[in-house]
Amino acid sequence: MKKRRYKDGSLDGVYTPAAKGIETLETLIPDSMDEGMKSALERLDKALGGDVAGFVCARLKVSREELARYFKAEQVDSIALAIYNIEARHEAMVCGDETGVGKGRQAAGIVRYAKENGRLPIFFTEKKNLFSDFYRDAKDTGIAHYRPLIINSDGTVYDYDKCIDSTPGEEKYEAVYEPLPNSEMTKIFKSRRMPEGYDYILCTYSQLSDSEEKKEFLAAVAQRGKAVYVCDEAHNAAGQSSRGDVVRELISAEGCDVIFLSATFAKAPKNLLLYIQRTKLKDCTTPLTLSLAIARGGIPLQELISSLLVESGQMVRRQRDNTKIEVNYNNTDEADRQIDDVNYNRIMRFVRDALSLQNMHVRELISQLKQQKVLPKSAKPYSIFSYMFVITNALLLAIKAKSVVKKTIEHVRDGRAVVIGLSQTSAAHLEPQRLINLMGKNVKVGDLVRGDFAQYLLFILERSLVISQGKDEEENEDGSHKDQKTILDLD
Protein backbone atom coordinates (compact mmCIF):
# COMPACT_ATOMS: atom_id res chain seq x y z
CA MET A 1 0.00 0.00 0.00
CA LYS A 2 1.01 3.60 -0.50
CA LYS A 3 2.13 5.56 2.57
CA ARG A 4 1.30 9.00 3.91
CA ARG A 5 4.10 10.52 6.00
CA TYR A 6 3.33 13.21 8.59
CA LYS A 7 5.49 16.05 9.82
CA ASP A 8 6.34 14.11 13.00
CA GLY A 9 7.70 11.24 10.90
CA SER A 10 4.78 8.86 11.52
CA LEU A 11 3.21 6.89 8.69
CA ASP A 12 -0.28 5.84 7.65
CA GLY A 13 -1.23 3.56 4.80
CA VAL A 14 -3.42 4.89 1.98
CA TYR A 15 -6.51 2.67 1.89
CA THR A 16 -7.18 1.02 -1.47
CA PRO A 17 -10.79 -0.26 -1.68
CA ALA A 18 -11.62 -3.69 -3.08
CA ALA A 19 -15.01 -2.47 -4.36
CA LYS A 20 -14.54 -1.15 -7.88
CA GLY A 21 -16.62 1.50 -9.63
CA ILE A 22 -17.66 3.21 -6.36
CA GLU A 23 -16.50 6.65 -5.25
CA THR A 24 -13.88 6.52 -2.51
CA LEU A 25 -13.46 8.73 0.58
CA GLU A 26 -9.67 8.57 0.12
CA THR A 27 -9.13 7.32 3.63
CA LEU A 28 -6.02 6.24 5.49
CA ILE A 29 -5.32 3.20 7.65
CA PRO A 30 -2.82 2.89 10.54
CA ASP A 31 0.61 1.78 9.38
CA SER A 32 0.50 -1.29 11.64
CA MET A 33 -2.65 -2.52 9.87
CA ASP A 34 -2.12 -1.65 6.21
CA GLU A 35 -0.43 -4.88 5.05
CA GLY A 36 -2.94 -7.00 6.96
CA MET A 37 -5.83 -5.03 5.44
CA LYS A 38 -4.42 -5.44 1.95
CA SER A 39 -4.11 -9.22 2.47
CA ALA A 40 -7.65 -9.50 3.87
CA LEU A 41 -9.17 -7.54 0.97
CA GLU A 42 -7.31 -9.62 -1.60
CA ARG A 43 -8.66 -12.83 -0.06
CA LEU A 44 -12.18 -11.34 0.09
CA ASP A 45 -12.01 -10.26 -3.56
CA LYS A 46 -10.90 -13.73 -4.61
CA ALA A 47 -13.59 -15.45 -2.51
CA LEU A 48 -16.28 -13.23 -4.10
CA GLY A 49 -15.18 -13.88 -7.66
CA GLY A 50 -13.45 -10.53 -8.14
CA ASP A 51 -16.66 -8.51 -7.75
CA VAL A 52 -17.08 -7.17 -4.20
CA ALA A 53 -19.57 -4.51 -5.27
CA GLY A 54 -21.67 -7.05 -7.17
CA PHE A 55 -21.78 -9.32 -4.12
CA VAL A 56 -23.08 -6.49 -1.93
CA CYS A 57 -25.65 -5.49 -4.57
CA ALA A 58 -26.99 -9.05 -4.61
CA ARG A 59 -27.21 -9.32 -0.81
CA LEU A 60 -28.74 -5.85 -0.27
CA LYS A 61 -31.01 -6.27 -3.32
CA VAL A 62 -30.01 -2.96 -4.91
CA SER A 63 -28.75 -2.01 -8.35
CA ARG A 64 -25.17 -0.87 -8.91
CA GLU A 65 -26.46 2.67 -9.40
CA GLU A 66 -28.27 2.55 -6.05
CA LEU A 67 -25.21 1.08 -4.32
CA ALA A 68 -23.04 3.89 -5.64
CA ARG A 69 -25.62 6.45 -4.47
CA TYR A 70 -26.01 4.98 -1.00
CA PHE A 71 -22.43 4.07 -0.11
CA LYS A 72 -18.77 4.93 -0.63
CA ALA A 73 -16.22 2.26 -1.59
CA GLU A 74 -14.85 1.95 1.97
CA GLN A 75 -18.37 1.31 3.29
CA VAL A 76 -19.06 -1.29 0.61
CA ASP A 77 -15.85 -3.12 1.56
CA SER A 78 -16.77 -3.36 5.24
CA ILE A 79 -20.37 -4.38 4.48
CA ALA A 80 -18.98 -7.14 2.24
CA LEU A 81 -16.56 -8.26 4.97
CA ALA A 82 -19.36 -8.30 7.56
CA ILE A 83 -21.68 -10.34 5.31
CA TYR A 84 -18.88 -12.73 4.33
CA ASN A 85 -18.04 -13.35 8.00
CA ILE A 86 -21.72 -13.97 8.75
CA GLU A 87 -22.37 -16.36 5.86
CA ALA A 88 -19.05 -18.17 5.47
CA ARG A 89 -17.85 -18.25 9.08
CA HIS A 90 -20.85 -17.48 11.31
CA GLU A 91 -18.52 -14.94 12.94
CA ALA A 92 -18.46 -11.18 13.51
CA MET A 93 -16.62 -8.15 12.24
CA VAL A 94 -15.50 -5.10 14.22
CA CYS A 95 -15.86 -1.74 12.47
CA GLY A 96 -13.47 0.63 14.24
CA ASP A 97 -13.61 3.45 11.67
CA GLU A 98 -13.00 6.93 13.01
CA THR A 99 -15.40 9.87 12.64
CA GLY A 100 -16.28 10.79 9.07
CA VAL A 101 -15.96 7.37 7.43
CA GLY A 102 -19.62 6.48 7.93
CA LYS A 103 -20.19 3.81 10.57
CA GLY A 104 -23.89 4.74 10.53
CA ARG A 105 -24.16 4.05 6.80
CA GLN A 106 -22.48 0.69 7.31
CA ALA A 107 -24.89 -0.14 10.14
CA ALA A 108 -27.83 0.76 7.90
CA GLY A 109 -26.36 -1.50 5.20
CA ILE A 110 -26.29 -4.47 7.57
CA VAL A 111 -29.85 -3.74 8.76
CA ARG A 112 -30.93 -3.77 5.12
CA TYR A 113 -29.02 -7.00 4.48
CA ALA A 114 -30.69 -8.77 7.39
CA LYS A 115 -34.21 -7.59 6.51
CA GLU A 116 -33.93 -8.34 2.79
CA ASN A 117 -32.66 -11.85 3.53
CA GLY A 118 -35.44 -12.85 5.89
CA ARG A 119 -33.66 -12.18 9.18
CA LEU A 120 -34.49 -9.86 12.09
CA PRO A 121 -32.18 -6.83 12.48
CA ILE A 122 -31.73 -5.68 16.10
CA PHE A 123 -29.96 -2.33 16.46
CA PHE A 124 -28.36 -1.63 19.83
CA THR A 125 -26.82 1.71 20.75
CA GLU A 126 -25.88 3.71 23.85
CA LYS A 127 -28.42 6.59 23.91
CA LYS A 128 -31.96 6.99 22.62
CA ASN A 129 -31.13 10.16 20.63
CA LEU A 130 -28.91 7.99 18.42
CA PHE A 131 -32.08 6.36 17.07
CA SER A 132 -32.69 9.60 15.15
CA ASP A 133 -29.09 9.62 13.93
CA PHE A 134 -29.60 6.10 12.62
CA TYR A 135 -32.82 7.17 10.88
CA ARG A 136 -30.82 9.80 8.98
CA ASP A 137 -28.54 7.03 7.68
CA ALA A 138 -31.59 4.87 6.95
CA LYS A 139 -32.98 7.70 4.78
CA ASP A 140 -29.69 8.01 2.95
CA THR A 141 -29.56 4.28 2.19
CA GLY A 142 -33.15 3.78 1.02
CA ILE A 143 -34.65 2.10 4.09
CA ALA A 144 -36.47 5.00 5.77
CA HIS A 145 -39.69 3.02 5.25
CA TYR A 146 -38.48 0.21 7.51
CA ARG A 147 -40.66 0.45 10.63
CA PRO A 148 -38.83 -0.02 13.95
CA LEU A 149 -40.20 -1.58 17.12
CA ILE A 150 -38.77 0.79 19.74
CA ILE A 151 -38.03 -0.85 23.10
CA ASN A 152 -37.36 2.42 24.94
CA SER A 153 -40.62 3.99 26.13
CA ASP A 154 -39.17 7.47 25.41
CA GLY A 155 -37.25 6.59 22.25
CA THR A 156 -39.13 8.65 19.65
CA VAL A 157 -37.33 8.83 16.29
CA TYR A 158 -37.10 12.34 14.81
CA ASP A 159 -36.26 13.55 11.32
CA TYR A 160 -33.54 16.15 11.87
CA ASP A 161 -34.06 17.42 8.32
CA LYS A 162 -37.59 18.61 9.20
CA CYS A 163 -37.55 21.33 11.85
CA ILE A 164 -41.03 22.35 13.03
CA ASP A 165 -39.87 24.92 15.61
CA SER A 166 -36.58 26.76 15.07
CA THR A 167 -36.61 28.75 18.32
CA PRO A 168 -32.93 28.89 19.40
CA GLY A 169 -32.28 26.37 22.15
CA GLU A 170 -35.78 24.90 21.82
CA GLU A 171 -35.66 23.40 18.32
CA LYS A 172 -38.26 20.74 17.62
CA TYR A 173 -38.28 18.22 14.81
CA GLU A 174 -40.88 16.09 13.12
CA ALA A 175 -41.48 12.77 14.86
CA VAL A 176 -41.26 9.89 12.39
CA TYR A 177 -41.66 6.79 14.58
CA GLU A 178 -42.91 6.68 18.16
CA PRO A 179 -42.85 3.93 20.80
CA LEU A 180 -46.06 2.06 21.46
CA PRO A 181 -47.89 2.78 24.77
CA ASN A 182 -46.47 0.91 27.76
CA SER A 183 -49.60 -1.23 28.05
CA GLU A 184 -49.16 -2.52 24.48
CA MET A 185 -45.41 -3.07 24.90
CA THR A 186 -46.07 -5.09 28.07
CA LYS A 187 -48.34 -7.42 26.08
CA ILE A 188 -45.70 -7.72 23.35
CA PHE A 189 -42.97 -8.53 25.88
CA LYS A 190 -45.12 -11.21 27.48
CA SER A 191 -45.98 -12.75 24.09
CA ARG A 192 -42.27 -13.03 23.22
CA ARG A 193 -43.19 -12.57 19.56
CA MET A 194 -42.39 -9.85 17.05
CA PRO A 195 -45.64 -8.02 16.20
CA GLU A 196 -46.80 -7.81 12.59
CA GLY A 197 -45.82 -4.74 10.56
CA TYR A 198 -42.41 -4.13 12.13
CA ASP A 199 -39.11 -4.59 10.31
CA TYR A 200 -36.42 -4.23 12.97
CA ILE A 201 -35.82 -3.40 16.64
CA LEU A 202 -34.27 -0.28 18.18
CA CYS A 203 -32.97 -0.60 21.72
CA THR A 204 -30.38 1.00 24.05
CA TYR A 205 -28.06 -1.16 26.13
CA SER A 206 -29.57 0.25 29.34
CA GLN A 207 -32.83 -1.59 28.56
CA LEU A 208 -31.06 -4.92 29.01
CA SER A 209 -30.69 -4.35 32.73
CA ASP A 210 -34.09 -2.64 33.00
CA SER A 211 -36.19 -5.80 33.24
CA GLU A 212 -35.88 -9.54 32.83
CA GLU A 213 -39.01 -9.49 30.66
CA LYS A 214 -37.37 -7.32 27.98
CA LYS A 215 -34.28 -9.51 27.91
CA GLU A 216 -36.37 -12.67 27.52
CA PHE A 217 -38.43 -11.04 24.75
CA LEU A 218 -35.31 -10.04 22.82
CA ALA A 219 -33.77 -13.50 23.23
CA ALA A 220 -36.96 -15.19 22.02
CA VAL A 221 -37.59 -13.04 18.93
CA ALA A 222 -33.88 -13.06 18.08
CA GLN A 223 -33.68 -16.83 18.04
CA ARG A 224 -36.95 -17.18 16.14
CA GLY A 225 -35.95 -14.51 13.60
CA LYS A 226 -32.28 -15.59 13.30
CA ALA A 227 -31.34 -12.08 14.35
CA VAL A 228 -28.44 -10.04 13.11
CA TYR A 229 -27.35 -7.77 15.97
CA VAL A 230 -25.90 -4.40 15.00
CA CYS A 231 -24.03 -3.24 18.12
CA ASP A 232 -23.36 0.48 17.74
CA GLU A 233 -21.03 2.11 20.32
CA ALA A 234 -20.03 -1.47 21.11
CA HIS A 235 -17.46 -0.49 23.76
CA ASN A 236 -20.42 0.44 26.00
CA ALA A 237 -21.68 -3.15 25.83
CA ALA A 238 -18.35 -4.71 26.71
CA GLY A 239 -16.60 -5.52 29.94
CA GLN A 240 -17.25 -7.62 33.00
CA SER A 241 -20.64 -6.30 34.08
CA SER A 242 -24.27 -7.37 34.20
CA ARG A 243 -24.88 -5.46 30.95
CA GLY A 244 -21.90 -7.11 29.29
CA ASP A 245 -23.06 -10.55 30.44
CA VAL A 246 -26.52 -10.02 28.89
CA VAL A 247 -25.09 -8.81 25.57
CA ARG A 248 -22.68 -11.74 25.36
CA GLU A 249 -25.54 -14.13 26.12
CA LEU A 250 -27.77 -12.63 23.41
CA ILE A 251 -25.18 -12.53 20.62
CA SER A 252 -24.00 -16.09 21.33
CA ALA A 253 -27.43 -17.63 20.76
CA GLU A 254 -27.62 -20.28 18.07
CA GLY A 255 -28.54 -18.91 14.65
CA CYS A 256 -27.79 -15.28 15.53
CA ASP A 257 -25.04 -13.10 14.09
CA VAL A 258 -23.52 -9.73 14.98
CA ILE A 259 -21.46 -6.79 13.79
CA PHE A 260 -19.71 -4.44 16.23
CA LEU A 261 -19.22 -0.72 15.55
CA SER A 262 -17.09 1.60 17.68
CA ALA A 263 -14.26 4.04 17.03
CA THR A 264 -13.02 3.18 20.54
CA PHE A 265 -13.81 -0.54 20.32
CA ALA A 266 -10.82 -1.45 22.56
CA LYS A 267 -11.10 1.56 24.88
CA ALA A 268 -10.08 -0.69 27.77
CA PRO A 269 -8.74 -4.28 27.90
CA LYS A 270 -12.09 -5.50 29.24
CA ASN A 271 -13.76 -4.35 25.99
CA LEU A 272 -12.01 -7.11 24.06
CA LEU A 273 -13.90 -9.71 26.11
CA LEU A 274 -17.05 -8.94 24.08
CA TYR A 275 -15.41 -9.85 20.78
CA ILE A 276 -13.72 -13.12 21.79
CA GLN A 277 -16.65 -15.50 21.33
CA ARG A 278 -17.62 -14.19 17.86
CA THR A 279 -14.20 -13.69 16.20
CA LYS A 280 -11.03 -15.69 15.53
CA LEU A 281 -9.85 -14.70 19.00
CA LYS A 282 -11.86 -17.61 20.39
CA ASP A 283 -9.51 -20.06 18.65
CA CYS A 284 -6.43 -18.85 20.52
CA THR A 285 -7.52 -17.54 23.92
CA THR A 286 -10.12 -17.42 26.67
CA PRO A 287 -11.48 -14.36 28.51
CA LEU A 288 -9.29 -15.13 31.52
CA THR A 289 -6.06 -15.69 29.58
CA LEU A 290 -6.70 -12.62 27.42
CA SER A 291 -7.26 -10.43 30.50
CA LEU A 292 -4.04 -11.67 32.09
CA ALA A 293 -2.09 -11.27 28.84
CA ILE A 294 -3.26 -7.70 28.24
CA ALA A 295 -2.55 -6.80 31.87
CA ARG A 296 1.09 -7.70 31.16
CA GLY A 297 1.35 -6.75 27.49
CA GLY A 298 -0.57 -3.47 27.70
CA ILE A 299 -1.18 -1.25 24.68
CA PRO A 300 1.41 -2.96 22.40
CA LEU A 301 -0.45 -6.25 22.81
CA GLN A 302 -3.81 -4.56 22.17
CA GLU A 303 -2.38 -3.13 18.93
CA LEU A 304 -1.08 -6.57 17.94
CA ILE A 305 -4.51 -8.14 18.57
CA SER A 306 -6.16 -5.43 16.46
CA SER A 307 -3.69 -6.03 13.62
CA LEU A 308 -4.37 -9.78 13.73
CA LEU A 309 -8.12 -9.16 13.57
CA VAL A 310 -7.58 -6.91 10.54
CA GLU A 311 -5.48 -9.56 8.80
CA SER A 312 -8.15 -12.20 9.46
CA GLY A 313 -10.74 -9.98 7.74
CA GLN A 314 -12.66 -9.36 10.96
CA MET A 315 -11.84 -5.73 11.55
CA VAL A 316 -11.55 -2.47 9.62
CA ARG A 317 -10.23 0.84 10.89
CA ARG A 318 -10.04 3.71 8.43
CA GLN A 319 -9.69 7.44 9.04
CA ARG A 320 -10.05 10.62 7.02
CA ASP A 321 -6.96 12.51 5.83
CA ASN A 322 -6.71 15.69 7.91
CA THR A 323 -3.36 16.88 6.56
CA LYS A 324 -4.97 19.32 4.13
CA ILE A 325 -7.00 21.08 6.80
CA GLU A 326 -5.65 24.55 7.50
CA VAL A 327 -5.23 25.27 11.22
CA ASN A 328 -4.96 28.85 12.43
CA TYR A 329 -4.15 29.79 16.01
CA ASN A 330 -5.57 32.98 17.51
CA ASN A 331 -4.37 34.75 20.65
CA THR A 332 -6.67 36.56 23.06
CA ASP A 333 -6.62 40.38 23.15
CA GLU A 334 -4.06 41.99 25.44
CA ALA A 335 -6.76 43.70 27.54
CA ASP A 336 -8.65 40.42 27.98
CA ARG A 337 -5.41 38.60 28.77
CA GLN A 338 -4.67 40.84 31.76
CA ILE A 339 -8.14 40.17 33.20
CA ASP A 340 -7.77 36.46 32.46
CA ASP A 341 -4.42 36.35 34.32
CA VAL A 342 -6.06 37.83 37.41
CA ASN A 343 -8.99 35.40 37.28
CA TYR A 344 -6.71 32.43 36.65
CA ASN A 345 -4.55 33.26 39.66
CA ARG A 346 -7.60 33.78 41.90
CA ILE A 347 -9.09 30.42 40.93
CA MET A 348 -5.84 28.49 41.30
CA ARG A 349 -5.36 30.11 44.72
CA PHE A 350 -8.78 28.74 45.72
CA VAL A 351 -7.77 25.27 44.49
CA ARG A 352 -4.54 25.41 46.50
CA ASP A 353 -6.53 26.47 49.58
CA ALA A 354 -8.90 23.51 49.10
CA LEU A 355 -5.93 21.14 48.87
CA SER A 356 -4.45 22.72 52.03
CA LEU A 357 -7.77 22.28 53.83
CA GLN A 358 -7.76 18.62 52.96
CA ASN A 359 -4.09 18.04 53.82
CA MET A 360 -3.99 20.04 57.05
CA HIS A 361 -7.40 19.38 58.59
CA VAL A 362 -9.34 16.61 56.85
CA ARG A 363 -6.50 14.07 56.99
CA GLU A 364 -5.91 14.82 60.67
CA LEU A 365 -9.61 14.45 61.47
CA ILE A 366 -9.78 11.13 59.59
CA SER A 367 -6.80 9.87 61.58
CA GLN A 368 -8.53 10.78 64.86
CA LEU A 369 -11.78 9.11 63.80
CA LYS A 370 -9.87 5.95 62.86
CA GLN A 371 -8.29 5.85 66.33
CA GLN A 372 -11.75 6.25 67.84
CA LYS A 373 -12.93 3.42 65.53
CA VAL A 374 -15.62 5.68 64.09
CA LEU A 375 -14.14 5.12 60.63
CA PRO A 376 -12.67 1.89 59.20
CA LYS A 377 -8.92 1.53 58.61
CA SER A 378 -9.55 1.77 54.84
CA ALA A 379 -10.94 5.32 55.14
CA LYS A 380 -9.03 8.03 53.32
CA PRO A 381 -9.62 11.50 51.84
CA TYR A 382 -11.32 11.53 48.46
CA SER A 383 -8.68 12.60 45.95
CA ILE A 384 -9.36 16.01 44.41
CA PHE A 385 -5.94 16.09 42.79
CA SER A 386 -7.20 13.54 40.23
CA TYR A 387 -9.74 16.16 39.05
CA MET A 388 -7.08 18.77 38.35
CA PHE A 389 -6.78 17.84 34.67
CA VAL A 390 -10.54 18.31 34.16
CA ILE A 391 -10.60 21.52 36.22
CA THR A 392 -7.62 23.01 34.38
CA ASN A 393 -9.12 22.23 30.98
CA ALA A 394 -12.43 23.78 32.02
CA LEU A 395 -10.63 26.86 33.31
CA LEU A 396 -8.72 27.31 30.07
CA LEU A 397 -11.98 26.93 28.12
CA ALA A 398 -13.67 29.53 30.31
CA ILE A 399 -10.79 31.94 29.70
CA LYS A 400 -11.01 31.46 25.92
CA ALA A 401 -14.81 31.57 25.72
CA LYS A 402 -15.09 35.35 25.22
CA SER A 403 -12.58 35.34 22.36
CA VAL A 404 -14.32 32.37 20.74
CA VAL A 405 -17.66 34.21 20.84
CA LYS A 406 -16.09 37.31 19.27
CA LYS A 407 -14.57 35.26 16.44
CA THR A 408 -17.83 33.37 15.91
CA ILE A 409 -19.80 36.61 15.55
CA GLU A 410 -17.26 37.90 13.01
CA HIS A 411 -17.53 34.74 10.89
CA VAL A 412 -21.34 34.67 11.04
CA ARG A 413 -21.48 38.31 9.90
CA ASP A 414 -19.23 37.33 6.99
CA GLY A 415 -21.81 34.71 5.98
CA ARG A 416 -19.88 31.65 7.18
CA ALA A 417 -21.30 28.64 9.03
CA VAL A 418 -19.46 28.09 12.31
CA VAL A 419 -18.89 24.83 14.18
CA ILE A 420 -17.46 25.13 17.70
CA GLY A 421 -15.74 21.98 18.93
CA LEU A 422 -15.34 21.30 22.66
CA SER A 423 -13.25 18.62 24.32
CA GLN A 424 -15.81 18.58 27.15
CA THR A 425 -19.16 20.25 27.80
CA SER A 426 -19.16 20.33 31.63
CA ALA A 427 -22.77 19.14 31.47
CA ALA A 428 -22.21 16.81 34.43
CA HIS A 429 -21.88 19.80 36.75
CA LEU A 430 -25.31 21.08 35.72
CA GLU A 431 -27.17 17.82 36.29
CA PRO A 432 -30.05 18.09 38.79
CA GLN A 433 -28.51 15.83 41.44
CA ARG A 434 -25.20 17.72 41.32
CA LEU A 435 -27.04 21.05 41.69
CA ILE A 436 -29.10 19.67 44.57
CA ASN A 437 -25.91 18.62 46.35
CA LEU A 438 -24.30 22.03 45.85
CA MET A 439 -27.31 24.26 46.40
CA GLY A 440 -28.91 22.26 49.21
CA LYS A 441 -32.39 22.31 47.69
CA ASN A 442 -34.43 20.71 44.94
CA VAL A 443 -33.74 22.10 41.49
CA LYS A 444 -36.41 21.95 38.81
CA VAL A 445 -36.87 23.21 35.28
CA GLY A 446 -37.26 26.99 35.31
CA ASP A 447 -35.06 27.60 38.36
CA LEU A 448 -32.12 29.97 38.02
CA VAL A 449 -28.74 28.36 38.67
CA ARG A 450 -25.18 29.63 38.53
CA GLY A 451 -23.58 28.97 35.17
CA ASP A 452 -20.15 30.40 35.90
CA PHE A 453 -16.95 28.77 37.12
CA ALA A 454 -18.25 28.83 40.70
CA GLN A 455 -19.87 25.45 40.02
CA TYR A 456 -16.41 23.92 39.60
CA LEU A 457 -15.06 25.62 42.72
CA LEU A 458 -18.00 24.38 44.79
CA PHE A 459 -17.40 20.92 43.34
CA ILE A 460 -13.74 21.01 44.47
CA LEU A 461 -14.69 22.24 47.93
CA GLU A 462 -17.29 19.50 48.27
CA ARG A 463 -14.78 16.84 47.20
CA SER A 464 -12.17 18.08 49.70
CA LEU A 465 -14.55 17.10 52.54
CA VAL A 466 -15.43 13.63 51.23
CA ILE A 467 -14.08 10.47 52.86
CA SER A 468 -13.79 7.26 50.86
CA GLN A 469 -14.41 4.15 52.98
CA GLY A 470 -13.73 1.48 50.33
CA LYS A 471 -15.98 -0.45 47.97
CA ASP A 472 -19.63 -1.16 48.66
CA GLU A 473 -21.34 -4.44 47.74
CA GLU A 474 -23.88 -2.53 45.63
CA GLU A 475 -23.17 -2.53 41.88
CA ASN A 476 -23.23 0.38 39.46
CA GLU A 477 -25.05 -0.04 36.12
CA ASP A 478 -21.77 -1.10 34.44
CA GLY A 479 -21.13 -3.77 37.08
CA SER A 480 -18.44 -1.90 39.02
CA HIS A 481 -18.79 -1.38 42.76
CA LYS A 482 -19.76 1.91 44.34
CA ASP A 483 -17.53 3.80 46.76
CA GLN A 484 -18.86 4.22 50.27
CA LYS A 485 -18.57 7.94 50.96
CA THR A 486 -19.04 10.23 53.94
CA ILE A 487 -19.06 14.04 53.84
CA LEU A 488 -17.40 15.68 56.83
CA ASP A 489 -19.08 18.43 58.78
CA LEU A 490 -16.31 20.66 60.15
CA ASP A 491 -18.62 22.78 62.36
Side-chain angles (χ1 to χ4, degrees):
M1 283 189 172
K2 297 179 180 178
K3 303 285 185 179
R4 173 67 50 80
R5 184 176 294 277
Y6 297 101
K7 291 180 180 178
D8 63 0
S10 62
L11 289 170
D12 271 336
V14 176
Y15 183 83
T16 304
K20 303 297 187 293
I22 309 291
E23 184 182 357
T24 176
L25 293 169
E26 298 181 352
T27 54
L28 304 175
I29 188 167
D31 185 51
S32 60
M33 299 179 179
D34 62 346
E35 290 302 324
M37 190 78 261
K38 179 181 179 182
S39 175
L41 291 177
E42 286 176 348
R43 293 196 307 274
L44 176 71
D45 192 55
K46 183 177 180 180
L48 301 182
D51 189 4
V52 171
F55 170 78
V56 175
C57 283
R59 293 301 189 272
L60 268 57
K61 295 180 171 51
V62 297
S63 66
R64 286 185 180 268
E65 292 74 20
E66 288 173 319
L67 187 73
R69 189 166 69 249
Y70 296 155
F71 305 102
K72 301 300 182 185
E74 287 87 348
Q75 297 159 2
V76 173
D77 281 0
S78 54
I79 291 171
L81 278 169
I83 296 173
Y84 179 79
N85 273 289
I86 288 171
E87 295 184 353
R89 300 169 169 174
H90 188 45
E91 292 180 340
M93 190 198 76
V94 180
C95 178
D97 287 341
E98 293 193 4
T99 301
V101 181
K103 291 188 293 296
R105 291 284 183 103
Q106 296 167 59
I110 297 302
V111 167
R112 179 173 193 135
Y113 159 74
K115 172 62 181 174
E116 296 301 324
N117 289 273
R119 303 183 65 175
L120 174 64
I122 299 180
F123 181 85
F124 278 127
T125 191
E126 177 62 13
K127 297 179 180 179
K128 62 186 179 183
N129 64 293
L130 295 176
F131 295 163
S132 299
D133 287 346
F134 176 75
Y135 175 74
R136 177 192 58 215
D137 291 304
K139 282 176 60 181
D140 293 338
T141 53
I143 59 171
H145 60 286
Y146 283 12
R147 186 182 180 191
L149 178 67
I150 304 169
I151 303 300
N152 297 59
S153 60
D154 56 353
T156 301
V157 177
Y158 296 98
D159 187 341
Y160 289 146
D161 292 328
K162 296 180 180 179
C163 185
I164 58 178
D165 185 350
S166 57
T167 304
E170 299 180 9
E171 294 88 348
K172 294 180 181 179
Y173 300 90
E174 181 180 302
V176 185
Y177 296 111
E178 296 188 12
L180 291 172
N182 288 338
S183 57
E184 290 187 44
M185 288 304 295
T186 299
K187 293 178 183 178
I188 291 172
F189 293 148
K190 288 181 178 179
S191 74
R192 297 187 184 180
R193 290 188 174 277
M194 191 73 178
E196 293 291 331
Y198 290 89
D199 300 302
Y200 67 108
I201 291 174
L202 289 176
C203 183
T204 60
Y205 295 116
S206 62
Q207 298 296 303
L208 299 178
S209 53
D210 189 39
S211 77
E212 193 71 19
E213 200 171 58
K214 291 178 183 177
K215 187 187 81 171
E216 291 175 354
F217 164 77
L218 288 169
V221 297
Q223 199 154 16
R224 193 176 294 111
K226 296 183 179 179
V228 176
Y229 289 100
V230 179
C231 293
D232 183 38
E233 303 290 343
H235 58 278
N236 289 308
Q240 296 172 309
S241 65
S242 55
R243 176 191 292 186
D245 291 342
V246 173
V247 173
R248 284 192 290 273
E249 181 183 338
L250 288 173
I251 65 175
S252 62
E254 185 178 353
C256 296
D257 288 288
V258 63
I259 175 175
F260 303 107
L261 303 106
S262 172
T264 53
F265 72 101
K267 192 174 184 179
K270 65 180 182 180
N271 293 134
L272 290 170
L273 301 178
L274 179 65
Y275 315 125
I276 288 178
Q277 67 198 77
R278 298 310 306 263
T279 63
K280 294 297 181 186
L281 289 175
K282 69 179 183 296
D283 298 331
C284 58
T285 188
T286 65
L288 177 59
T289 54
L290 181 64
S291 298
L292 293 173
I294 291 177
R296 293 185 178 183
I299 298 224
L301 183 58
Q302 285 180 253
E303 292 179 349
L304 176 61
I305 292 171
S306 298
S307 298
L308 292 174
L309 281 174
V310 169
E311 189 171 4
S312 69
Q314 295 190 324
M315 180 179 166
V316 293
R317 183 171 179 81
R318 288 78 55 96
Q319 62 197 49
R320 300 299 292 265
D321 182 3
N322 297 323
T323 56
K324 298 177 182 178
I325 297 177
E326 182 181 351
V327 179
N328 297 310
Y329 295 93
N330 295 294
N331 296 318
T332 56
D333 298 335
E334 182 62 33
D336 290 337
R337 197 177 309 144
Q338 291 179 6
I339 298 173
D340 293 337
D341 287 346
V342 172
N343 288 332
Y344 183 90
N345 289 331
R346 288 172 60 195
I347 290 170
M348 295 313 296
R349 190 180 305 117
F350 179 94
V351 173
R352 289 194 297 270
D353 288 345
L355 285 168
S356 297
L357 170 67
Q358 190 178 68
N359 290 328
M360 294 174 62
H361 300 289
V362 175
R363 289 181 186 278
E364 181 182 346
L365 183 55
I366 290 174
S367 178
Q368 293 174 5
L369 294 174
K370 282 182 180 180
Q371 292 176 7
Q372 298 169 16
K373 297 185 178 181
V374 175
L375 291 176
K377 292 182 179 180
S378 60
K380 59 183 179 180
Y382 201 87
S383 173
I384 60 174
F385 187 79
S386 60
Y387 288 93
M388 287 308 300
F389 177 77
V390 176
I391 298 296
T392 303
N393 275 355
L395 177 55
L396 293 174
L397 173 61
I399 286 173
K400 293 181 286 187
K402 187 176 180 180
S403 296
V404 170
V405 171
K406 285 182 179 178
K407 279 291 180 184
T408 300
I409 293 172
E410 289 177 11
H411 287 309
V412 170
R413 285 174 175 168
D414 289 340
R416 296 188 180 122
V418 179
V419 177
I420 301 174
L422 301 175
S423 60
Q424 61 179 13
T425 63
S426 304
H429 296 278
L430 294 175
E431 290 178 354
Q433 189 56 53
R434 168 64 54 198
L435 294 172
I436 290 171
N437 291 342
L438 294 179
M439 299 173 66
K441 65 175 184 178
N442 288 332
V443 179
K444 58 184 182 300
V445 175
D447 286 352
L448 292 175
V449 298
R450 297 193 67 155
D452 56 17
F453 207 79
Q455 290 289 2
Y456 275 103
L457 300 184
L458 289 170
F459 175 71
I460 293 172
L461 185 59
E462 178 200 53
R463 279 287 184 262
S464 69
L465 300 176
V466 173
I467 301 173
S468 172
Q469 299 185 51
K471 300 296 182 183
D472 197 340
E473 293 185 359
E474 185 179 354
E475 280 192 355
N476 290 311
E477 187 177 317
D478 64 358
S480 61
H481 290 273
K482 295 181 177 180
D483 253 340
Q484 295 185 70
K485 299 173 187 174
T486 301
I487 298 180
L488 288 173
D489 185 352
L490 298 182
D491 288 342

